[in-house]
Amino acid sequence: MNDRLRKTLTTTALIGGVLVGWTAIAAATADAMVPPDGDFVDVPGARLHYVDTGGTGPTLVMIHGLYGQLRNFSYALTQAIGGDHRMILIDRPGWGHSTVEGTPPPIETQARMIADAIDALGLDRPLLVSHSMGGAVALALALNHASKVRGLALIAPLTRPVQAMPPVFRGKVPPAPLRGLAAWTIGTPLTTLTGMAVANQIFAPDPVPADFGTRGGGLLTLRPSAYEAGAFEIGDANRALTSMVPRYADITLPVAILYGADDHLLDPAAQGADTAQAIPGAQLTLMPGGHMLPVTHPRETAAWLAAR
């Protein structure tokens, strides 16, 4: 081995070691600052973290979006809903403190896991409340496990294939064989360096709360598992939705869709209005605001939910 090659390999190994160390420290710090808030329920293929607020009133099951976690709802929306509602907030499979066996599960499998959790917790046809990518999971549940819920309340949902990847996610979808390596090397440093700029784009035009990293669970995006799950879901969503859209006319559950008219991440017309027209009886409501309505407009979102 010549000196140049030896130096190159040594440098590469050192850089790789630094990146892995950075990732491990960031992940441990995120876990310490955003620990589990609730309990766990085992379903086939996953162990799901959830929070049960208690209460004897109507039950809501709430599932978050891409790069999200159940604190996206507990940040402000659960308090705004209040009353005697029983709210079950779930970290989707592979996100937050929920774990899965093997690789990240596709949208349809996640829907089955949520349906299994509803059974395991003994819930009687709750209202399924979802945000963003959680909307795709909720619609898959409505198509394949409709008897488990009484209806869908979709907040800024992803409901249709996206032709062009939002700029905010570029660089987060390496080729499948490289996702594990990327997650443990460049993923966390990239997220650390660009995190605030990305958050500003996702929340726009609304401001990002200063405490969203902890109170909203945002710091958990620094873990390699989040990078890997996100890379998979961004690529998988179009596949799943392409097969789901033609079936929307078969949905018989009540479906309500809420969108911020100023959403900078997803198109309210394509993702909201077009889908509302495709689902029999579905209703679309537009309100001022961006994509993160459960965090930025909790009282208005709670008022909308109260009518469901």
Side-chain angles (χ1 to χ4, degrees):
M1 184 183 297
N2 60 45
D3 288 343
R4 178 176 295 180
L5 179 58
R6 183 180 295 108
K7 289 179 180 179
T8 299
L9 292 175
T10 300
T11 301
T12 301
L14 287 172
I15 293 173
V18 170
L19 293 175
V20 170
W22 182 343
T23 298
I25 292 171
T29 301
D31 278 333
M33 297 184 71
V34 187
D37 294 315
D39 299 305
F40 293 87
V41 59
D42 292 317
V43 300
R47 187 171 192 244
L48 302 183
H49 172 233
Y50 73 97
V51 166
D52 185 345
T53 66
T56 59
T59 301
L60 311 178
V61 168
M62 311 177 87
I63 54 175
H64 59 82
L66 187 70
Y67 296 111
Q69 194 250 347
L70 61 78
R71 289 193 185 190
N72 290 183
F73 293 112
S74 63
Y75 182 91
L77 183 58
T78 52
Q79 299 93 312
I81 294 171
D84 62 351
H85 280 83
R86 181 185 182 189
M87 290 170 273
I88 310 293
L89 286 58
I90 300 179
D91 279 341
R92 285 196 293 113
W95 293 99
H97 294 287
S98 291
T99 56
V100 296
E101 298 172 6
T103 57
I107 299 298
E108 301 90 339
T109 302
Q110 290 191 43
R112 190 267 300 164
M113 290 172 170
I114 299 297
D116 288 343
I118 289 172
D119 284 343
L121 296 173
L123 306 179
D124 182 18
R125 301 187 71 234
L127 178 68
L128 186 57
V129 180
S130 66
H131 177 242
S132 197
M133 182 71 79
V137 177
L139 286 163
L141 191 149
L143 289 167
N144 301 320
H145 312 279
S147 65
K148 304 300 181 182
V149 296
R150 65 178 175 87
L152 306 183
L154 311 177
I155 305 169
L158 176 68
T159 65
R160 294 176 175 272
V162 176
Q163 300 306 315
M165 183 185 300
V168 69
F169 296 137
R170 291 174 189 164
K172 292 182 177 291
V173 191
L178 299 179
R179 285 174 188 162
L181 176 63
W184 273 98
T185 53
I186 65 170
T188 294
L190 178 66
T191 302
T192 303
L193 295 173
T194 64
M196 196 62 226
V198 169
N200 284 333
Q201 293 179 63
I202 292 173
F203 274 77
D206 301 312
V208 181
D211 59 353
F212 183 74
T214 50
R215 184 176 158 190
L219 281 175
L220 292 185
T221 60
L222 294 177
R223 300 184 307 175
S225 59
Y227 183 89
E228 194 165 3
F232 172 78
E233 282 193 3
I234 292 170
D236 182 62
N238 274 2
R239 175 208 59 80
L241 290 166
T242 297
S243 65
M244 288 165 55
V245 169
R247 300 174 59 198
Y248 284 168
D250 299 330
I251 295 177
T252 58
L253 292 169
V255 175
I257 301 173
L258 176 67
Y259 248 102
D262 305 307
D263 195 315
H264 286 195
L265 189 64
L266 295 175
D267 180 8
Q271 302 291 337
D274 290 352
T275 297
Q277 290 180 356
I279 299 174
Q283 299 178 345
L284 170 66
T285 300
L286 292 176
M287 60 173 281
H291 188 69
M292 295 297 291
L293 298 177
V295 175
T296 59
H297 294 74
R299 287 180 294 178
E300 296 88 344
T301 303
W304 173 79
L305 282 170
R308 310 283 69 89

